[in-house]
Amino acid sequence: MKNKMLTAAEAVSVIKDGDTIAVGGFLGTGSPEILLDALVAQGTKHLTLIANDGGMRDDNPYTGGRHKGVAKLIANGQVDHIIASHVGVNPDIFAGMSAGTLKCTLVPQGSLAEKLRAAGAGLGGVLTPTGLGTPVEEGKRIIEIEGVDYLLELPLKPKVSLIRADYCDKFGNFTMLKATKTFNHVMAMAGEIVIVAAEKVFEIGEKDPDFYQVSGVYVDMIVEGEEPWQI
Amino acid sequence: MADIRARIAKRAAKEFKDGDIANLGIGLPTMIPDFLPEGVSIVLHSENGFTGLAGTPEPGEEDYRVIDSGGKWVTTAPYVNFFGAEESFAIIRGGHLDMTVLGAMQVDEEANLANWIIPGKNVAGMGGAMDLVVGAKKVVIAMTHTQKGNHKIMKKCTLPLTAKKVVDMIITEMCVMEFIDGKLTLTEIHPDYTLEDVKAATEAEFAVSPNLKVMEEE
């Protein structure tokens, strides 16, 4: 079996200046902190970042005084363009937008999930009524199906997806506990290269197959060492 | 102000049936569970990935894997189920939510809703709001009737929309309005106000229900 186990630094070295990356989690909960730390250390610039939100800055009371999730990349000036559903929690994003250093594209949260899923599942796009009659429809096709209008949302495909799991086996099958699941599954499906950071990595066959939620087929690289306190 | 917000939340709480699956917006709607009638228990959906939102943990009892959509640590009900964004929004968009209660900046005669862009402020994003109002079976707007003297129930929304033709009911400190056969209709009025007061505070044209009721506090 192909060895997918790497260090965080080795894994994120596939990310180059100007790449599009997707990072799982919701306001930092469920984001792969060891991969983000390694990407900060690597210093890769001009990234397009697909994430639900901008993470939490260290002055937010729910962070324990350290940047959570993708807030690390934004604070370090590594992101040129963020594609997200909500960026109001991290003030660095508005600061970057006012300074002209950060572009922000807003996508309804359900459409963001489906655009990623479409990319991962080989769909040409998704038809949804969400966003019709709002600024979200600008520049998009409206398609009528049996008398009802829908907005065509196109697939969104990151080059690299950074995923957090609680448990993973060495094939890459993985499991996320409680509310850390958000966006991790669809981003694992969508990414051309998928890196999973797990708290605990098991040998293949060590656990019952039903223990795992997501297929390791999507996973290219595995890094062990996520800590529960980092969530 | 506190009693006005409580009045609106109390009235909104009466809309729920036992067992309803609901998503409550930030602010005033989060007060609703405190006012649910005796014998009515509802299941709260949190768009970051679970059904079974309960309350706030005691200090030291936080589970850092369990936050709500505002990023706060929360507790869950015994029947909680966790899922990813794709399933969370399939629940919302697939018509599996009985009701959502949200605030608004503007609602208009066409049942259009504007609640995501505040003029002159940075645009934080729609998050799940557009999906919620399009997908939920019933959309209730719980809000103050006016904002600093400005109308919020309009002939036509002037702010960018969150969604078109989605609002089913508006609950304010003055009254309850419902869209009945597509027509905005006053169905309840609070005893502190007259019909003329409501008309003066409402830019939209509205019908008055032949069964106009008193908006009761208790």
Side-chain angles (χ1 to χ4, degrees):
Chain A
M1 189 65 70
K2 181 186 167 192
N3 176 34
K4 298 182 181 178
M5 297 297 296
L6 293 170
T7 66
E10 287 166 347
V12 302
S13 70
V14 297
I15 302 172
K16 308 295 182 195
D17 286 356
D19 277 352
T20 296
I21 65 168
V23 181
F26 189 105
L27 292 172
T29 296
S31 295
E33 300 292 353
I34 56 174
L35 301 182
L36 294 168
D37 289 338
L39 190 53
V40 167
Q42 185 172 286
T44 315
K45 300 277 190 210
H46 308 300
L47 297 170
T48 291
L49 170 65
I50 304 164
N52 177 61
D53 50 71
M56 279 187 187
R57 209 169 66 172
D58 54 5
D59 54 357
N60 187 298
Y62 293 91
T63 60
R66 58 207 145 72
H67 296 309
K68 258 175 90 169
V70 297
K72 290 172 181 173
L73 301 179
I74 293 157
N76 201 36
Q78 294 176 264
V79 179
D80 284 0
H81 181 191
I82 180 167
I83 300 170
S85 79
H86 194 278
V87 296
V89 176
N90 183 349
D92 285 348
I93 294 185
F94 290 143
M97 285 161 71
S98 323
T101 54
L102 183 59
K103 181 184 164 194
C104 177
T105 302
L106 293 168
V107 181
Q109 206 171 132
S111 295
L112 186 61
E114 291 298 333
K115 284 162 78 73
L116 289 157
R117 211 188 79 81
L123 306 180
V126 177
L127 295 173
T128 176
T130 298
L132 278 178
T134 80
V136 168
E137 75 175 23
E138 282 164 25
K140 292 176 186 160
R141 285 172 67 189
I142 294 169
I143 295 175
E144 187 194 309
I145 309 279
E146 295 181 355
V148 181
D149 281 348
Y150 295 91
L151 200 57
L152 175 64
E153 290 282 7
L154 297 177
L156 187 58
K157 191 164 185 63
K159 177 181 155 189
V160 185
S161 288
L162 305 182
I163 304 302
R164 187 191 196 283
D166 284 87
Y167 309 121
C168 187
D169 72 10
K170 287 185 175 175
F171 178 67
N173 300 315
F174 68 92
T175 289
M176 306 146 292
L177 300 184
K178 298 183 181 172
T180 67
K181 298 178 177 67
T182 309
F183 282 99
N184 278 307
H185 189 160
V186 279
M187 287 177 175
M189 292 175 73
E192 196 179 313
I193 302 168
V194 176
I195 310 172
V196 171
E199 283 187 27
K200 169 83 181 146
V201 178
F202 293 102
E203 294 298 327
I204 292 168
E206 193 178 345
K207 290 284 178 184
D208 186 282
D210 282 328
F211 177 75
Y212 297 107
Q213 297 161 340
V214 181
S215 171
V217 162
Y218 303 121
V219 178
D220 300 290
M221 304 176 189
I222 302 161
V223 178
E224 189 170 22
E226 277 292 315
E227 297 287 345
W229 57 262
Q230 292 174 305
I231 295 174
Chain B
M1 191 64 185
D3 59 326
I4 283 175
R5 286 164 56 83
R7 177 193 300 172
I8 297 168
K10 270 184 201 170
R11 179 59 190 82
K14 291 182 186 169
E15 288 305 301
F16 288 95
K17 298 186 304 294
D18 193 33
D20 275 354
I21 319 292
N23 187 298
L24 303 178
I26 54 167
L28 192 158
T30 60
M31 299 163 68
I32 289 171
D34 294 338
F35 298 118
L36 287 170
E38 193 73 26
V40 175
S41 166
I42 62 174
V43 175
L44 294 179
H45 172 273
S46 189
E47 57 260 42
N48 58 309
F50 54 102
T51 42
L53 178 65
T56 305
E58 295 298 323
E61 299 289 310
E62 301 90 352
D63 180 338
Y64 34 57
R65 288 187 178 82
V66 186
I67 60 165
D68 67 7
S69 58
K72 296 184 178 64
W73 290 305
V74 291
T75 59
T76 53
Y79 50 80
V80 68
N81 181 239
F82 294 98
F83 31 74
E86 65 288 356
E87 184 157 5
S88 184
F89 281 82
I91 287 172
I92 292 171
R93 292 154 70 125
H96 307 284
L97 283 187
D98 295 300
M99 197 169 344
T100 187
V101 185
L102 299 162
M105 285 172 263
Q106 294 179 339
V107 181
D108 72 21
E109 286 175 21
E110 300 287 303
N112 298 324
L113 169 68
N115 74 348
W116 75 290
I117 294 179
I118 303 171
K121 290 205 178 170
N122 288 316
V123 179
M126 70 294 281
M130 288 187 178
D131 301 298
L132 276 167
V133 295
V134 169
K137 287 184 197 157
K138 182 168 177 175
V139 175
V140 175
I141 300 302
M143 65 176 190
T144 56
H145 205 97
T146 55
Q147 175 73 25
K148 295 176 183 156
N150 292 320
H151 288 135
K152 293 170 75 178
I153 305 174
M154 319 287 288
K155 282 191 175 305
K156 191 171 173 57
C157 291
T158 56
L159 297 172
L161 296 185
T162 306
K164 280 169 76 173
K165 296 186 193 298
V166 291
V167 177
D168 295 299
M169 178 181 248
I170 305 167
I171 300 173
T172 76
E173 76 281 15
M174 301 181 87
C175 67
V176 178
M177 290 181 173
E178 295 176 60
F179 286 89
I180 298 173
D181 299 327
K183 174 72 183 162
L184 183 61
T185 306
L186 179 71
T187 54
E188 294 177 29
I189 186 163
H190 191 272
D192 288 357
Y193 302 99
T194 65
L195 180 57
E196 291 311 309
D197 293 334
V198 176
K199 282 185 175 165
T202 309
E203 189 198 72
E205 297 274 339
F206 60 87
V208 178
S209 167
N211 305 314
L212 183 64
K213 296 190 179 104
V214 175
M215 181 180 172
E216 288 172 3
E217 291 262 1
E218 296 310 324

